[in-house]
Amino acid sequence: MADNAHAHAHAHAHGNAGARHFLDAFRDPQAIAHYAEGPRRFVPGIDALHRMTALLLAESAPADARVLVLGAGGGLELKVLAEAQPGWTFVGVDPAGPMLDLAVQTLGPLADRVQWVEGYIDDAPAGPFDAATCLLTLHFLDAPERLRTVAEIHRRLKPGAPFVAAHGSFPQDATRSTWLERYAAYAVASGADPQQAGQAKAAVAANLSLLDPERDEAILKEAGFADAALFYAAFTWRGWIGHAEF
């Protein structure tokens, strides 16, 4: 949530000060240089999440699929997808130009299969795409903008196309603070500086638009992914797979 380059989108464009706090960090050269360390320290099982995403998309996407990747900065999931499916091509969208530059470096020769778009969902091509992903991104958007963004992804997909979303999502009841403590504790156990982990926890608590998993799933279904189903749960993170219905 705090240490990833997917501080996407309209949250910044629409004046969400909390999201802007994160997006600004992804324009900082020093933060970018150490970007890859962050997700692995703060997101349990992120490498497995990427592998599962590739498998879930491949269940119904063709061998020559064109895939929309929203929040593509850094390129971590793009690299996994491109290596898993040599016939796939991609459109990678992210508002932070320096993070797209890092993605190009991360992919190396594989970057030739990606069309890069510096911007937001509305800047993405109309498609239609065979599949889409939005990883570690939607928690930067409040509920109405999250719904609009997912609906715009849906509008760009072919009927039946798979969509994988994963982001910060955990109970927002009396246990909220306990889950945030676990978020920080996992980061420290994974090698993060304790002070940095504490600052990340405070920033997440104050600035991100966190929702209950039930509300997150309802948004996906309302946006057109009626079969959205949970496939990933790790402390404060959740991931869903759904298919575009028309």
Side-chain angles (χ1 to χ4, degrees):
M1 273 177 283
D3 252 329
N4 68 77
H6 304 76
H8 159 252
H10 288 85
H12 180 72
H14 289 247
N16 184 319
R20 189 180 306 118
H21 164 85
F22 287 95
L23 184 58
D24 288 345
F26 305 132
R27 302 187 191 283
D28 172 30
Q30 184 174 358
I32 291 170
H34 298 285
Y35 163 68
E37 302 170 5
R40 291 191 173 98
R41 288 176 174 170
F42 283 84
V43 186
I46 190 169
D47 293 317
L49 171 62
H50 291 157
R51 288 195 299 273
M52 288 187 286
T53 297
L55 291 171
L56 290 168
L57 297 185
E59 287 177 345
S60 50
D64 61 349
R66 187 174 183 230
V67 182
L68 174 63
V69 177
L70 190 64
L76 297 180
E77 69 264 45
L78 265 171
K79 188 171 190 291
V80 172
L81 296 175
E83 289 177 341
Q85 296 290 335
W88 287 4
T89 57
F90 306 88
V91 173
V93 182
D94 199 281
M99 292 307 302
L100 289 178
D101 293 340
L102 177 60
V104 172
Q105 296 175 29
T106 299
L107 267 71
L110 298 172
D112 292 341
R113 289 159 52 196
V114 185
Q115 174 188 346
W116 304 100
V117 178
E118 182 176 349
Y120 312 115
I121 183 59
D122 294 329
D123 301 304
F129 291 91
D130 297 290
T133 69
C134 189
L135 304 185
L136 313 192
T137 296
L138 289 176
H139 51 236
F140 293 102
L141 309 180
D142 61 23
E145 184 61 19
R146 194 173 308 191
L147 174 60
R148 195 193 74 82
T149 295
V150 176
E152 286 297 318
I153 293 171
H154 178 276
R155 192 167 67 84
R156 288 165 168 78
L157 291 176
K158 295 178 181 178
F163 170 53
V164 171
H167 47 270
S169 179
F170 59 95
Q172 299 300 300
D173 56 17
T175 67
R176 183 178 193 267
S177 61
T178 299
W179 286 109
L180 286 167
E181 289 291 343
R182 291 167 178 166
Y183 163 76
Y186 181 84
V188 173
S190 300
D193 174 75
Q195 182 178 358
Q196 179 197 24
Q199 291 171 345
K201 179 190 72 172
V204 165
N207 296 313
L208 292 192
S209 297
L210 297 166
L211 303 177
D212 289 296
E214 296 78 9
R215 178 64 180 131
D216 263 316
E217 187 169 309
I219 285 174
L220 295 175
K221 291 181 175 180
E222 185 178 349
F225 300 96
D227 68 342
L230 187 74
F231 76 90
Y232 166 79
F235 275 3
T236 58
W237 306 89
R238 300 289 185 277
W240 292 266
I241 171 68
H243 299 81
E245 292 195 351
F246 286 84

